[in-house]
Amino acid sequence: MGDFKLTTVEEMEAATARLLETGAKVGADAWQIRVKNQTPHCKFGEQGICCRICSMGPCRITPKAPRGICGCDAHGIVGRNYLKFTAGGAATHSDHGREICHTLHEAAADGAYKVKDPEKLIRIAHEWGVETEGKDIYDLAHEMAEIGLLEYGKPFGYQRFLDRMPQHTKDLLIKNEIAPRAIDREVASSLHMTHMGCSSKPEALVKQSLRCGLCDGWGGSMMGTEFSDVLFGTPKPIDTEANLGVMNADNVNIVVHGHDPSLSEMICEYADDPEMIAYAKEMGAKGITVSGVCCTSNEVAMRRGIPMAGNFLQQENVVLTGACEAIVVDVQCIFPALGPLSKCFHTKFITTSPIAQMPDSEFIRFNAHTAAENAKAIVKMAIENFKNRKPDLVYIPDMKQKATVGYSVEAIVKVLDGVTNSQVDVTGTTKPLLECVTSGVIRGAVAMVGCNNPKIRPDYAHIELMKKLIANDIIIVASGCSAQAAAKAGLMDKRAKDLCGAGLKRVCELADIPPVLHMGSCVDISRMMILVSELAKDSGLKISQLPVVGCAPEWMSEKAVSIGNYVIATGIDTFLGVDPYVSGSDQMGALLTEGTRQWVEAAFTVETDINKLVDLMIERIEEKRAAIGI
């Protein structure tokens, strides 16, 4: 392996401990302290048996009080809470997609936003039956944006992207009344169902949870992904770096954080502007470094090679370095704690969306129409803040890894074309990947997704699971904070092939890929759904028969529940390392871990012991291989 070695979780924890010492000097707290203050957690909440949807309660289910005031039992209460969780996540991801549609509508030849992948726009237009011949590309972009926006509220029909599914999957969803209709309708229906005096039957609540999740994965998220590619370019492999060491003590450091690439793309544009770089030098810096946290980071990393400073539970760490001039956020997964924390340092905490307004921040309202003006003002503010840095508080851990990122479906198909020796022309299909699987060179694949969660040692589950999976010749596609955990550790460095079993190592060498493929942000889990759909079509198998599983070992948000629902509803068994707050109902537990198979041919497995979780995934992949005779 030469001089290559992984960065261990222990090394990351030691760096964090050093940063927390700086925080203690200035009286700052951090999530590690707040976790202790919140422990132990409410057991009623953890089991899902607390109901506060009307003011007769709140009601809590106990052996002495097995029903709420209205008569709803534990199964109905847990089911309603689960569906509300799903609806929150579906609304959030789908609103991201809505904003991207609005940004696409602002695109213009002479505007801040351009169409960077016109071929993809035309391809989607053909999918949706839109005439493209002779149309100006920006007229087409505006037309497609309007059609996309109508997917949120149309009165009839299902989500257009369901036509990308294998026919078997689509028919199954329609037959069982799980196929998603208008996006906003599914979210509204979910909230209606969970209102006092409506649904309390677990089967109905779980079905709607699946349907609501699908309106996200095959609706809002998929539009967010596809139209982001149209606007900013479809990702292809690009080299970058990851972990806190990507910050530069000599430069103005701007950290972008959140999920919507409309803002971060413009920040990157102006940080590269020679006028801004010259201004930074006037202010005493050597240049400008933009790095990222969370999914905004994934978006700009896979299209621009912008380095990734960290994932969800590292967001406070970038401020604790004392070298962050501005942390600029859009929406989702942003700690309100960044406000008071930034005030302990010189950092500007800049919020930009009316959706995510927080105390102790400087609010610069960002929208697609004023994007250039907003971004330039933010970059200028960060530059002017450089002089306020306190050198005695600066500590950037000397810790970073190389990573190759940007494996869109199109990129995966292209790079794997060179793996097999088949004489058949398979360009543009997933058949090379299928040949690797059917020959046993690769045993299967895991879609590793999700967040960090203080309930599980941060990043440990992601990294340890990945190491064991690739050692067993199982390739990994990763997104969101899971992908950043892999990048920080070094598992997205092509040299990590030496940690693989012989078969996967050979594939990595032939295709020149790392064993963990970066597919993007959390909305880009929709890419994974497209990939498995194409694998199913090319193999003639059902999605549920493929030796592929999903895994979210450290999930924590409503969005993650929505994702989990659309992944199993697409036919992919999914493994969770954190309980989804349903343990208070054995009926809900049985439905989610087995009962959903009757409707969608897949279900959840919940196992909080990480070593057992990975063994169960490998076992399931081998069961699927045996069932189809490979």
Side-chain angles (χ1 to χ4, degrees):
M1 293 178 68
D3 61 352
F4 173 74
K5 77 178 194 70
L6 293 180
T7 300
T8 66
V9 172
E10 289 77 11
E11 288 172 317
M12 294 186 213
E13 289 171 340
T16 296
R18 170 66 178 79
L19 291 168
L20 291 174
E21 289 175 13
T22 304
K25 289 180 186 176
V26 295
D29 77 344
W31 67 261
Q32 292 88 342
I33 299 165
R34 297 190 296 272
V35 164
K36 291 178 183 177
N37 294 338
Q38 285 293 333
T39 305
H41 297 292
C42 171
K43 293 302 177 185
F44 293 100
E46 284 188 327
Q47 294 173 43
I49 52 174
C50 174
C51 181
R52 56 181 188 85
I53 65 172
C54 78
S55 66
M56 292 192 295
C59 296
R60 302 177 299 177
I61 299 301
T62 68
K64 289 184 178 180
R67 291 182 181 271
I69 291 167
C70 72
C72 191
D73 61 15
H75 313 300
I77 290 172
V78 172
R80 289 189 307 213
N81 287 335
Y82 185 81
L83 177 52
K84 276 183 176 287
F85 225 72
T86 303
T92 302
H93 261 167
S94 294
D95 217 27
H96 173 154
R98 191 191 325 253
E99 285 304 310
I100 295 298
C101 287
H102 280 294
T103 303
L104 182 62
H105 202 269
E106 286 286 338
D110 59 351
Y113 295 106
K114 307 283 194 299
V115 170
K116 291 189 177 178
D117 192 341
E119 292 80 12
K120 187 159 198 173
L121 179 63
I122 292 167
R123 199 161 66 242
I124 299 168
H126 289 163
E127 274 187 65
W128 287 3
V130 175
E131 181 57 55
T132 63
E133 191 68 30
K135 282 184 184 172
D136 175 81
I137 198 66
Y138 287 97
D139 290 340
L140 180 62
H142 301 157
E143 183 179 355
M144 291 297 290
E146 290 176 15
I147 294 171
L149 287 166
L150 288 172
E151 288 296 284
Y152 286 83
K154 64 185 183 183
F156 306 109
Y158 301 112
Q159 285 297 293
R160 290 172 178 267
F161 279 134
L162 291 196
D163 288 341
R164 292 181 167 185
M165 288 180 168
Q167 193 62 45
H168 167 80
T169 306
K170 182 178 176 181
D171 290 345
L172 196 64
L173 296 177
I174 292 172
K175 173 188 171 185
N176 288 301
E177 295 188 37
I178 296 171
R181 301 158 297 181
I183 297 164
D184 290 346
R185 180 179 183 180
E186 299 304 355
V187 174
S189 291
S190 299
L191 295 178
H192 187 177
M193 285 182 75
T194 55
H195 189 274
M196 189 274 156
C198 288
S199 291
S200 55
K201 186 177 180 180
E203 290 88 346
L205 293 162
V206 170
K207 270 194 172 184
Q208 181 59 22
S209 296
L210 297 175
R211 195 176 210 174
C212 193
L214 283 163
C215 84
D216 166 8
W218 289 89
S221 277
M222 200 166 283
M223 280 193 285
T225 292
E226 296 291 79
F227 290 146
S228 288
D229 286 355
V230 168
L231 282 164
F232 311 125
T234 300
K236 55 188 70 171
I238 187 170
D239 292 333
T240 187
E241 294 178 319
N243 222 328
L244 288 168
V246 302
M247 297 177 71
N248 189 322
D250 295 324
N251 287 0
V252 172
N253 284 291
I254 301 173
V255 176
V256 291
H257 173 23
H259 287 75
D260 186 344
S262 302
L263 166 67
S264 51
E265 280 284 332
M266 286 294 105
I267 297 292
C268 292
E269 282 287 327
Y270 280 92
D272 282 342
D273 186 336
E275 178 189 339
M276 291 290 102
I277 293 170
Y279 190 42
K281 290 178 178 177
E282 278 182 45
M283 294 292 111
K286 290 185 178 178
I288 303 171
T289 294
V290 178
S291 59
V293 170
C294 267
C295 283
T296 283
S297 176
N298 283 311
E299 295 277 3
V300 291
M302 66 184 175
R303 294 190 176 94
R304 291 175 171 268
I306 296 296
M308 299 184 283
N311 47 5
F312 175 63
L313 286 180
Q314 268 186 295
Q315 61 184 278
E316 290 173 307
N317 286 14
V318 298
V319 178
L320 288 166
T321 63
C324 177
E325 273 61 59
I327 182 163
V328 187
V329 304
D330 44 73
V331 293
Q332 303 169 26
C333 299
I334 300 147
F335 279 177
L338 289 174
L341 176 63
S342 294
K343 287 189 175 300
C344 295
F345 294 85
H346 75 298
T347 306
K348 298 283 188 183
F349 175 42
I350 301 170
T351 53
T352 61
S353 171
I355 296 291
Q357 299 184 60
M358 298 183 187
D360 298 315
S361 70
E362 302 201 29
F363 183 57
I364 297 178
R365 184 163 183 157
F366 181 91
N367 66 60
H369 189 64
T370 60
E373 174 189 331
N374 299 149
K376 187 172 184 178
I378 289 169
V379 173
K380 190 175 180 184
M381 182 186 293
I383 291 169
E384 291 170 349
N385 195 30
F386 180 78
K387 63 181 180 294
N388 297 319
R389 187 188 288 183
K390 298 172 183 173
D392 58 318
L393 295 180
V394 173
Y395 170 71
I396 299 174
D398 185 15
M399 181 182 291
K400 62 182 176 181
Q401 289 278 7
K402 294 179 180 178
T404 302
V405 300
Y407 289 94
S408 58
V409 175
E410 294 88 339
I412 289 173
V413 167
K414 184 174 181 180
V415 299
L416 288 175
D417 263 348
V419 174
T420 65
N421 294 316
S422 171
Q423 298 303 305
V424 180
D425 179 14
V426 294
T427 302
T429 77
T430 63
K431 289 181 181 177
L433 179 55
L434 287 166
E435 288 186 32
C436 290
V437 173
T438 55
S439 67
V441 175
I442 294 176
R443 305 302 297 172
V446 171
M448 192 77 76
V449 304
C451 329
N452 298 131
N453 191 322
K455 289 187 173 182
I456 292 182
R457 188 178 176 189
D459 291 336
Y460 182 81
H462 293 298
I463 294 166
E464 293 305 309
L465 290 175
M466 289 178 187
K467 283 161 61 179
K468 185 161 184 178
L469 290 167
I470 64 175
N472 282 273
D473 291 319
I474 295 169
I475 195 168
I476 295 165
V477 291
S479 68
C481 288
S482 182
Q484 289 170 320
K488 290 190 301 176
L491 289 165
M492 289 181 175
D493 189 316
K494 292 174 183 177
R495 294 174 294 175
K497 69 181 185 295
D498 291 328
L499 300 172
C500 301
L504 180 55
K505 180 178 179 180
R506 183 66 178 146
V507 171
C508 289
E509 289 171 340
L510 288 171
D512 192 30
I513 57 174
V516 179
L517 300 179
H518 180 283
M519 286 201 85
S521 64
C522 48
V523 296
D524 293 331
I525 296 168
S526 59
R527 296 190 200 277
M528 298 174 181
M529 301 304 98
I530 296 168
L531 181 59
V532 293
S533 293
E534 292 307 307
L535 284 166
K537 292 173 191 173
D538 288 340
S539 66
L541 297 170
K542 300 174 185 177
I543 290 175
S544 59
Q545 293 177 303
L546 295 169
V548 175
V549 301
C551 181
E554 301 183 28
W555 76 270
M556 65 87 203
S557 72
E558 292 172 317
K559 294 181 302 177
V561 176
S562 176
I563 291 165
N565 282 318
Y566 76 67
V567 173
I568 67 164
T570 302
I572 305 168
D573 285 318
T574 298
F575 293 73
L576 306 177
V578 176
D579 181 75
Y581 293 170
V582 298
S583 61
S585 165
D586 56 358
Q587 290 183 24
M588 280 293 295
L591 276 169
L592 293 173
T593 58
E594 193 56 43
T596 53
R597 293 189 191 282
Q598 66 186 303
W599 306 317
V600 294
E601 300 176 346
F604 290 111
T605 296
V606 182
E607 177 53 71
T608 57
D609 183 316
I610 295 305
N611 292 319
K612 291 180 182 176
L613 186 68
V614 69
D615 290 339
L616 288 169
M617 282 193 283
I618 294 170
E619 183 182 310
R620 187 75 182 111
I621 285 170
E622 292 301 333
E623 285 173 359
K624 286 175 178 279
R625 290 180 64 86
I628 55 177
I630 59 173

